[in-house]
Amino acid sequence: MRVFDLIMAAIPEALGGVFATGLLGLLAYLLNRWQRNKRAAPQRILHNLPRREYTKFIGREKEFEEVINGLVSRAYLISIDGIGGIGKSTLALEVGYQYLNHQVVYQGKKLKKKHYYDAIIWTSARRFSLRKDGILMREQEIQNLHDILNAILITLKKDNALDNSLAKKREIARRALAEHRALLIIDNLETIEDDQLLEFLRELPEPTKALLTTRHRISETKIVHLEGLTRAASFKLAQAKAEELNLALKPEALERLFIRTGGVPLAIVWTIAKMEDVGINDAITSLHIDDTSIIAEFCFLEVVESIRKKEAYHTLLALSLFAQKANREALAFITEFPQALCNNTLIELEHFSLINKTPHNYWMLPLTKEFAIAQLQRPENAALRKKLQHRYADYYNYTKIVAVDKAKKSINAIHFALDLNALLVWNNEISDYLEANYQAIARGVEITRIFYLRKATTFISEEAREKISKIIQAQRENGVKTKILWEDDLIKNQVTAPPDMIIFDEQEIHVHIGSGGWYTEFDIFTEVKAVNLWLGKFHALEKLAISWDEFQKLKNTIK
């Protein structure tokens, strides 16, 4: 700038007149514009982000915004948690790249410059990668605080400090971070067994922030929890991956894939990769999530092994009996745990991202549930399985007995029984419930019950057919009017599948959310308009149902 000033001062003397004045003005304008552009240009960001393995980031818009909200807030530790394969690493990497490219949009606006970083440091402790032919063991880049410090020093151009002791490197790394506005990303934190790391993270200097991905919930962080993708996002991801392999997925295949995977991105991508070898239908059909499948091994096995000898394992298996959700009281009854102990097991299962929580209930992703059901069927769990199933049936029967006792004139009921797990509650253990039905009918109560079944399950084996027949026949012998409603017929007639409902005296209706089991959520309707609406739905479904004699004929023809 000193040389430039001397040249500017010499121009009037050398050239003189109007021309010199005009030239001075032009040069001053160009200098000002150059300085403005220089200030506006994004500063070069130091980073070591790995190459993205995906071509397009799909879904997770809500969760992306939650991460950015954490990063622009006063929080300095933000964690993304969820089961293996749910997309934690992909989300964290996308956050890193959007910061790197100054493309972050937050609350509908481009992020202000003051919120960007001049250094983004990526560290990964991932030990496995899932390929369509199996699980690939990979070298774990980061194993302890020592490795994290090395990554920080290398990225921030402090390589000359690498040979120092751990304590010295820690001090130099802290000073280097304090000199930068840095974002430290640690992927797969749960595989790093080093207590010093969490201590280091708690002491991060301003203005550094850390974004962590983990299967274990960390309460002292601002948590962003990942569940399965929405149906729309799952379809979009599946179609994008199928197009890469020149595969065309029909809507019914997309729906089947979504239902089987529960929107878990890794399961979607892995299944589509298999389609190239075995075909679309076979790939979806063969997506089994038992304790021998590679999907299960990648997503759950290591975590579940860590709790196998704990009470939390019992609670996990008890929850797998439910069609949808269960509350604390229900799980405590089934496991026979004191309520305080049951609550602690639920906290532990949440910590490992094995279950999800709504304000009053707990539930599992379909893949988690299928894996837990497979665990329940293991031979060494036979005694535990029998106990949990009997307790489950007892609680179900108790609630139904209370319902039957309320009836003064009539009961119109629909009961889901779409799979054999749901049917276990209609077994020989329900003598008290059958007796309650008998007593109600003896005092003049009319009971009409529709069993809502799936043909594919009902006729999967002779044992299943006979079990269902025995259940319904026991009802009929007590005087219950029984009918069978096929799920297949509802789909064919484009009728919405009903929730379970019990109508008392055409004056009060209990609408339950459940499936062939006892219920964790229900609404009670007494207003005349609402009662008539639900009663109308019941009679409409009754028209689609078949009689016991028709069921017997169909059963015999399939034999």
Side-chain angles (χ1 to χ4, degrees):
M1 285 299 295
R2 176 64 180 158
V3 175
F4 182 81
D5 291 340
L6 291 172
I7 293 173
M8 293 289 285
I11 285 176
E13 183 179 341
L15 299 177
V18 176
F19 178 74
T21 303
L23 182 58
L24 281 171
L26 176 61
L27 289 172
Y29 168 76
L30 291 174
L31 174 63
N32 184 264
R33 183 173 178 181
W34 175 76
Q35 288 176 327
R36 286 203 317 269
N37 289 341
K38 183 181 179 182
R39 285 195 299 269
Q43 184 179 355
R44 180 174 177 270
I45 299 176
L46 300 173
H47 79 93
N48 65 338
L49 289 173
R51 186 185 300 276
R52 286 179 279 196
E53 295 181 358
Y54 53 93
T55 55
K56 189 176 181 182
F57 183 69
I58 296 174
R60 300 300 185 203
E61 291 83 4
K62 175 177 172 289
E63 294 88 347
F64 182 91
E65 182 121 334
E66 288 178 10
V67 173
I68 304 304
N69 179 60
L71 290 172
V72 301
S73 72
R74 299 189 63 177
Y76 67 97
L77 294 178
I78 297 90
S79 66
I80 304 171
D81 71 34
I83 64 166
I86 202 68
K88 303 181 295 293
S89 303
T90 299
L91 176 56
L93 187 59
E94 184 65 21
V95 168
Y97 265 101
Q98 292 209 25
Y99 270 106
L100 176 67
N101 298 323
H102 281 243
Q103 294 175 337
V104 179
V105 175
Y106 174 60
Q107 294 182 344
K109 298 178 182 178
K110 196 164 184 179
L111 197 65
K112 292 180 180 179
K113 184 180 177 182
K114 68 178 183 178
H115 292 301
Y116 280 94
Y117 299 93
D118 56 42
I120 302 174
I121 306 158
W122 174 273
T123 61
S124 178
R126 184 184 296 189
R127 295 185 296 194
F128 307 102
S129 291
L130 184 64
R131 300 291 183 261
K132 67 179 179 180
D133 54 345
I135 296 175
L136 176 68
M137 186 80 175
R138 54 185 284 175
E139 184 177 351
Q140 189 174 348
E141 299 172 12
I142 303 296
Q143 298 183 31
N144 48 39
L145 176 59
H146 177 90
D147 297 331
I148 297 279
L149 294 175
N150 284 349
I152 293 171
L153 294 172
I154 291 171
T155 306
L156 299 184
K157 309 300 183 185
K158 302 290 183 181
D159 310 53
N160 57 348
L162 293 176
D163 293 331
N164 285 290
S165 66
L166 179 65
K168 186 64 175 176
K169 278 199 295 191
R170 182 170 178 166
E171 179 188 342
I172 296 171
R174 279 180 53 81
R175 286 205 306 264
L177 289 173
E179 294 169 2
H180 289 272
R181 185 172 169 77
L183 175 61
L184 173 62
I185 303 175
I186 303 179
D187 187 35
N188 280 67
L189 178 70
E190 77 278 356
T191 63
I192 303 176
E193 298 178 0
D194 189 344
D195 294 337
Q196 295 182 89
L197 175 55
L198 280 179
E199 181 185 343
F200 174 77
L201 291 174
R202 293 187 189 104
E203 298 173 354
L204 283 176
E206 288 278 4
T208 298
K209 298 199 174 190
L211 176 61
L212 319 170
T213 77
T214 173
R215 299 186 186 196
H216 302 172
R217 185 157 297 184
I218 306 174
S219 59
E220 57 198 287
T221 66
K222 186 173 180 62
I223 297 171
V224 178
H225 179 65
L226 298 191
E227 297 175 2
L229 292 171
T230 63
R231 176 181 270 97
S234 296
F235 281 22
K236 193 174 180 181
L237 175 62
Q239 287 170 324
K241 291 299 178 182
E243 287 172 5
E244 292 176 10
L245 300 176
N246 295 316
L247 296 171
L249 296 182
K250 295 181 179 179
E252 52 266 32
L254 291 170
E255 183 66 27
R256 284 181 63 205
L257 185 59
F258 171 69
I259 292 171
R260 294 290 292 119
T261 62
V264 174
L266 178 134
I268 294 172
V269 172
W270 184 83
T271 306
I272 289 174
K274 295 287 286 184
M275 290 176 184
E276 193 175 26
D277 298 329
V278 302
I280 294 173
N281 288 331
D282 287 346
I284 298 175
T285 302
S286 63
L287 180 59
H288 294 302
I289 314 301
D290 58 24
D291 49 9
T292 62
S293 74
I294 62 174
I295 285 279
E297 185 177 348
F298 187 87
C299 294
F300 308 113
L301 202 55
E302 188 174 6
V303 171
V304 170
E305 284 298 328
S306 71
I307 64 168
R308 188 176 298 281
K309 295 181 180 180
K310 298 182 178 181
E311 290 90 348
Y313 184 67
H314 293 210
T315 303
L316 179 73
L317 301 192
L319 185 56
S320 74
L321 295 171
F322 290 81
Q324 293 186 17
K325 302 173 184 177
N327 59 33
R328 298 176 187 217
E329 292 73 22
L331 291 168
F333 181 92
I334 292 174
T335 57
E336 295 187 279
F337 291 157
Q339 192 66 63
L341 175 59
C342 183
N343 292 346
N344 289 337
T345 65
L346 291 168
I347 291 170
E348 188 171 4
L349 293 174
E350 273 194 281
H351 170 76
F352 287 118
S353 300
L354 289 170
I355 64 174
N356 300 301
K357 180 183 176 183
T358 57
H360 305 292
N361 296 287
Y362 296 86
W363 58 282
M364 291 187 280
L365 288 170
L367 292 189
T368 316
K369 181 178 179 180
E370 191 168 340
F371 178 75
I373 289 172
Q375 291 282 305
L376 189 65
Q377 298 304 318
R378 288 171 65 134
E380 63 268 31
N381 286 334
L384 175 61
R385 177 174 65 251
K386 184 176 181 180
K387 169 197 164 184
L388 294 177
Q389 288 181 341
H390 283 186
R391 294 287 293 176
Y392 177 86
D394 287 345
Y395 201 101
Y396 171 85
N397 297 332
Y398 170 75
T399 59
K400 289 302 178 191
I401 289 168
V402 171
V404 171
D405 286 343
K406 282 191 65 174
K408 296 178 181 177
K409 181 181 177 184
S410 65
I411 300 175
N412 295 303
I414 290 180
H415 293 302
F416 279 82
L418 290 179
D419 54 56
L420 295 180
N421 273 334
L423 286 169
L424 70 89
V425 298
W426 294 92
N427 56 24
N428 293 331
E429 302 295 322
I430 64 171
S431 56
D432 289 343
Y433 177 49
L434 293 176
E435 178 62 23
N437 277 265
Y438 177 77
Q439 294 294 338
I441 291 170
R443 68 174 188 264
V445 175
E446 295 181 357
I447 302 178
T448 302
R449 182 165 290 125
I450 300 175
F451 289 87
Y452 181 47
L453 305 173
R454 179 182 291 145
K455 286 182 180 177
T457 299
T458 305
F459 299 117
I460 196 171
S461 69
E462 184 171 348
E463 180 186 1
R465 292 194 297 272
E466 291 308 316
K467 183 174 185 180
I468 292 169
S469 297
K470 186 176 180 180
I471 289 166
I472 297 176
Q473 186 59 35
Q475 301 283 307
R476 287 171 53 80
E477 288 173 359
N478 268 354
V480 176
K481 300 174 184 176
T482 58
K483 285 195 168 186
I484 293 90
L485 180 64
W486 296 118
E487 181 196 41
D488 315 60
D489 291 339
L490 288 190
I491 295 172
K492 182 174 66 177
N493 289 278
Q494 297 182 324
V495 177
T496 303
D500 280 21
M501 54 182 160
I502 301 175
I503 302 169
F504 299 122
D505 305 324
E506 301 187 4
Q507 295 176 358
E508 181 176 314
I509 297 181
H510 290 215
V511 177
H512 302 263
I513 298 175
S515 177
W518 64 277
Y519 304 94
T520 56
E521 296 180 21
F522 61 90
D523 292 311
I524 299 175
F525 297 92
T526 56
E527 198 267 327
V528 175
K529 187 175 181 180
V531 170
N532 288 337
L533 174 66
W534 284 104
L535 187 58
K537 287 184 178 183
F538 177 85
H539 291 314
L541 293 168
E542 193 177 17
K543 290 178 182 178
L544 289 175
I546 64 172
S547 68
W548 168 253
D549 290 337
E550 291 173 299
F551 172 75
Q552 287 290 88
K553 288 178 183 177
L554 182 58
K555 180 171 71 75
N556 292 332
T557 59
I558 291 179
K559 279 186 177 180

